[in-house]
Amino acid sequence: MTRRRAELVVAALLVLAALCAAGFVAVYALDAIPDQTQYLGLALGAAFLCVAGALLVAGRHLVVTEDGESEYGHPSPETAERLVDIGDETVAGIRRRRLLTGAAAVATTAIGAALLAPVVSLGPVFDLAAMARTPWRRGRRLVDEEGNPVPASAIQPDEFLTAFPEGADPEEIGSPIILVRLDPASLRLPASRRSWAPGGIVGYSKVCTHAGCAIALYRAPLFQPAEQPPGLVCPCHYSTFDPATGGTVVFGPAGRALPQLPLRIDRQGNLRAGGTFSGPVGPSWWGVRRGRATS
Ligand code: FES
């Protein structure tokens, strides 16, 4: 391969690497496309393959190589001088070629952008309010899946029920809650939440604080002595939350407690919200512990 042709091949491979890296960023941004993960891997893998190919061609055809030999194991002054010249020649030869440096800069920038793109998934930076908003507010009635009010008497010990805010979109991440009834004497809620559990009924967000799965299991020991106290369990990675202590994490990868919803019982005996959650709902993001849920 001639030197000129090698330069063109290296530049083309670097530009191709940049295109693949840009493709990674595009696929990452359009997260609605099917098989996104596979395309992400393909794009980044192809980018690195192109870079590897470019380095191979450059190393083989563009970098000047020459063997210097010396009888005594140390290079003679002439050989040393020649080696320095070769090095200078190599660097200068590559730098001289604007095409190559330009292509390398484009590839570096695009691959850097691809590597940094996932950082945005650590969470929103500017509009945190949207993440904290929930449809719950003081006085809002709890309804079941059919939209019927939930009487406090419907919550029996050792069972759990999913409820939603009346009139709100049940699909909203802040909508579903789980209700369980505990022995009031077993509650050890934070002091500020003493009035949040009328008759021992506690309500928590149904969305796991680990990765956002639904809390779908309730561990309620039926026989004494019980080895484990009641626990709300997420079946995805088995994060377990203690409903008696404010939804604190007792097992699993979740990093923070389930947000608790204050409850009260109205004159008709139905459950209503006493306000919004104790904290932001859903999987965690950067700074979530400083956030507050809003109505
Ligand atoms: S999403 Fe619940 S434990 Fe991982």
Side-chain angles (χ1 to χ4, degrees), residues 208 210-213 234 236-239 253:
C208 180
H210 175 225
C213 285
C234 173
C236 287
H237 314 97
Y238 288 99
S239 284

Side-chain angles (χ1 to χ4, degrees), residues 6 35 39 46 50 59 104 114 120 125 137 145 156 162 173 185 236 239 246 251:
D35 301 323
Y39 286 122
C50 291
V120 299
V125 177
R137 60 171 185 269
E145 286 177 12
Q156 295 298 316
T162 301
I173 192 170
C236 287
S239 284
F251 180 77

Side-chain angles (χ1 to χ4, degrees), residues 141-159:
R141 204 155 57 159
L142 277 61
V143 294
D144 61 19
E145 286 177 12
E146 276 76 46
N148 302 312
V150 178
S153 58
I155 317 299
Q156 295 298 316
D158 305 329
E159 295 177 4

